[in-house]
Amino acid sequence: HLQLVESGGGSVQTGGSLILSCRISEYTDSSFCLGWFRDAPGKEREGVATLRRSSGTTGYMDSVKGRFTISHDSDKNTLYLQMNDLQPEDTGMYYCALATSFASCSPTSTWSKVWGQGTQVTVSS
């Protein structure tokens, strides 16, 4: 069955970089949204970045624009999140997600998803 497996989290200091990976076990419709979400301490889960592979359209939450980049390697069927200039407020559990049907694709839109298990990112000052 469909599985998403994240890796790449860790602990870094302010200004550091990390690359998160999400291996997707099956190939799915390229029009379906892919995304990264995070659970930050004391906050509800929020959308960080999204990608619609068929169009290349990406979306980012305002606080990560210019610092984070979402991408997908079709040969490896792996979703990535390149995170640069990390800040303490980026700390949280990061989850990748794959839409189960065609829907609006943005960090704030609502879409039915399959989730990975999460990977922890900790940024210290």
Side-chain angles (χ1 to χ4, degrees):
H1 64 284
L2 180 64
Q3 287 187 310
L4 283 64
V5 180
E6 299 101 332
S7 61
S11 297
V12 297
Q13 292 188 323
T14 299
S17 298
L18 284 172
I19 301 176
L20 304 184
S21 300
C22 174
R23 178 74 170 89
I24 305 167
S25 64
E26 299 176 8
Y27 284 91
T28 59
D29 193 312
S30 63
S31 68
F32 290 4
C33 194
L34 286 167
W36 288 97
F37 293 74
R38 71 186 181 196
D39 288 346
K43 293 185 176 180
E44 294 187 356
R45 184 167 298 184
E46 55 188 354
V48 176
T50 53
L51 168 68
R52 193 187 301 282
R53 288 162 288 164
S54 58
S55 64
T57 303
T58 58
Y60 298 92
M61 65 186 305
D62 286 344
S63 65
V64 308
K65 287 179 180 177
R67 299 189 297 122
F68 290 12
T69 303
I70 187 172
S71 62
H72 179 262
D73 184 326
S74 58
D75 290 338
K76 297 179 180 179
N77 202 18
T78 299
L79 181 70
Y80 298 99
L81 185 67
Q82 171 73 53
M83 304 186 294
N84 298 327
D85 191 23
L86 282 160
Q87 303 296 312
E89 53 266 33
D90 295 317
T91 293
M93 183 70 79
Y94 283 69
Y95 299 88
C96 65
L98 169 65
T100 57
S101 62
F102 184 86
S104 176
C105 186
S106 78
T108 57
S109 59
T110 301
W111 34 289
S112 179
K113 312 171 184 67
V114 175
W115 296 98
Q117 84 287 352
T119 186
Q120 178 68 36
V121 172
T122 303
V123 185
S124 58
S125 57

